[in-house]
Amino acid sequence: MSIVVFGFTFGDQIKYPMIQTDKKIVIAIDGYSSSGNSTLAKEIAKMLNYKYIDSGAMYRAATLFALRNKIINPKNHFVDEEKLRNQIHNIEINFKYNPEKNRQEAYLNNENVEDEIREMNVSENVSFISKYGFVREKMVRFQQEMGKKKGIVMDGRDIGTVVFPDAELKIFMNAKAEVRAERRYLELKEKNVQVSFEEILENVKKRDHIDETREESPLKMASDSIELDNSNMNKQEQLDWIIGLVKERIK
Ligand code: DC
């Protein structure tokens, strides 16, 4: 049974209740890039005191490794597939909780890369690395391991379809490309990253296309997923919408 203990605010004054529950379920949140899935996933995890894992960070960290080791050419996105295959066992990705920033941070071979993996050079190349089956297999194994004990919220592209097909709650998020690009633009501007809106919109559309059409685990909605188009919703509205579903599943 779930009991609402108290309410508190987060970030830009979102109000949400803490839900105390002994029931541990798996919540899979998939969707298009910058559709707000990670914000929502983080908030649900906090509400339930569950672990939050950003699976995209893992593909980004693998891409950073490929860039640093000249496995991918950032100019034409050419990937030396053989080199990537041979070096895949040298890629170790972990998450560690940073109490100061109150967030999980991604580590690549024991180096904190949380900020670096959000930069444009990684965003522009990540789809060309995440399309390989042998890369995905490694990430999926690790993701499934992290979800073994349940009590986890994971966001990504294939969480409800491939990683946790038996997840108790699956959400598929979407919003218009322009809306998503605008959100990403504001996020990067806040971090003082110099980039134009047009560049971001192009990157969002390109990534949508690659994610949807790749052979390995393309981005698609699981048949038992619930769709949320949040083009015209603020964060509070999205949270209110999902709280009802979460409560239903942990009953
Ligand atoms: O969620 P994000 O934008 O940080 O993800 C970065 C890229 O990683 C995205 O372009 C697609 C890929 N990705 C994936 O293929 N599968 C996942 N489960 C998560 C992300």
Side-chain angles (χ1 to χ4, degrees), residues 151-200:
I152 191 167
V153 184
M154 193 177 288
D155 76 321
R157 305 290 187 282
D158 59 344
I159 310 304
T161 49
V162 177
V163 182
F164 300 125
D166 299 327
E168 285 85 352
L169 178 59
K170 298 182 187 176
I171 309 286
F172 190 87
M173 295 180 62
N174 200 0
K176 288 191 193 87
E178 287 72 15
V179 174
R180 292 184 281 129
E182 174 76 17
R183 288 177 188 156
R184 185 108 189 91
Y185 175 68
L186 295 175
E187 236 174 70
L188 291 173
K189 218 170 124 185
E190 212 168 274
K191 290 182 187 161
N192 288 321
V193 179
Q194 296 299 316
V195 63
S196 72
F197 172 77
E198 286 70 29
E199 257 178 284
I200 295 183

Side-chain angles (χ1 to χ4, degrees), residues 30-34 37 54-57 59-60 118 123 126-127 130-131 136 143 155-159 163 184 207 211 214 217:
D30 287 304
Y32 286 85
S33 70
S34 304
N37 34 1
D54 168 6
S55 70
Y59 291 97
R60 285 174 177 271
R118 311 288 162 192
S123 298
V126 62
S127 299
S130 59
K131 69 178 189 179
R136 304 200 70 81
Q143 289 155 4
D155 76 321
R157 305 290 187 282
D158 59 344
I159 310 304
V163 182
R184 185 108 189 91
R207 277 204 285 156
D211 288 350
R214 71 174 172 228
S217 317

Side-chain angles (χ1 to χ4, degrees), residues 70-97:
K70 303 198 175 352
I71 292 171
I72 183 165
N73 179 341
K75 292 203 178 93
N76 58 13
H77 312 298
F78 175 78
V79 177
D80 185 336
E81 188 179 337
E82 204 185 322
K83 202 168 168 189
L84 182 60
R85 202 181 279 276
N86 290 336
Q87 297 230 15
I88 189 100
H89 63 276
N90 293 329
I91 305 178
E92 280 308 322
I93 298 162
N94 286 302
F95 291 94
K96 287 185 200 159
Y97 180 69

Side-chain angles (χ1 to χ4, degrees), residues 121-162:
N121 66 330
V122 174
S123 298
E124 280 167 1
N125 289 285
V126 62
S127 299
F128 300 92
I129 296 295
S130 59
K131 69 178 189 179
Y132 289 102
F134 61 91
V135 173
R136 304 200 70 81
E137 271 165 33
K138 179 172 171 134
M139 303 298 162
V140 168
R141 262 202 308 276
F142 184 45
Q143 289 155 4
Q144 288 173 334
E145 191 60 39
M146 286 189 284
K148 255 189 182 161
K149 291 185 182 152
K150 299 200 171 198
I152 191 167
V153 184
M154 193 177 288
D155 76 321
R157 305 290 187 282
D158 59 344
I159 310 304
T161 49
V162 177

